[in-house]
Amino acid sequence: MKQNIVHIALVVNDYDEAINFYVNKLKFELLEDTYQPEQNKRWVVVAPPNSHGVALLLAKASKPEQEDFIGNQAGGRVFLFLNTDDFWRDYGRMKSIGIEFIRGPQEQEYGTVAVFKDLYGNLWDLLQLNSDHPMANR
């Protein structure tokens, strides 16, 4: 049997501002942006460049109870983990364009990591896993 997770829904306030952040600041690729008239919503999918794993579905909050989760998808914990092949390149670029890091770079047994906020306040790890880490080459 083979299974994999293809999308993680990320609740956003506005499709276009979310696309702008993920595509123009994080340098993700816009994989799909399709209007779905029967539901009056868009199917917007982004993913890190050259990745072959999970993609983010940018899902605009459509009900008041969903709005409470914008920026707090994981209850204040780190929600998503962005692995890179060059931590210092990406950390420097992200800092230079104003992405807020709430925890600076640290060397850990698994690699180098820093914590940043996305445009809504969700917490992310930017990390470069050590080459011997089980997830490093997946």
Side-chain angles (χ1 to χ4, degrees), residues 79 94 100 137:
F79 176 53
M94 291 166 73
E100 181 183 356
N137 297 307

Side-chain angles (χ1 to χ4, degrees), residues 46-132:
V46 297
N50 302 308
S51 69
H52 302 288
V54 176
L56 292 179
L57 171 66
L58 303 179
K60 183 178 176 184
S62 60
K63 301 175 186 174
E65 56 268 22
Q66 293 174 356
E67 292 173 3
D68 293 340
F69 293 95
I70 297 170
N72 192 26
Q73 297 237 169
R77 294 185 58 105
V78 170
F79 176 53
L80 296 165
F81 301 79
L82 180 60
N83 188 44
T84 178
D85 63 349
D86 187 334
F87 176 90
W88 293 106
R89 174 198 65 213
D90 293 342
Y91 176 77
R93 187 188 62 74
M94 291 166 73
K95 288 279 291 182
S96 75
I97 61 171
I99 292 178
E100 181 183 356
F101 280 82
I102 64 159
R103 203 169 318 139
Q106 297 179 345
E107 295 295 328
Q108 300 290 342
E109 63 183 51
Y110 55 83
T112 307
V113 62
V115 180
F116 70 94
K117 290 183 179 183
D118 70 11
L119 76 162
Y120 298 115
N122 292 299
L123 299 181
W124 289 65
D125 271 1
L126 173 66
L127 58 103
Q128 183 173 2
L129 295 170
N130 292 334
S131 61
D132 62 348

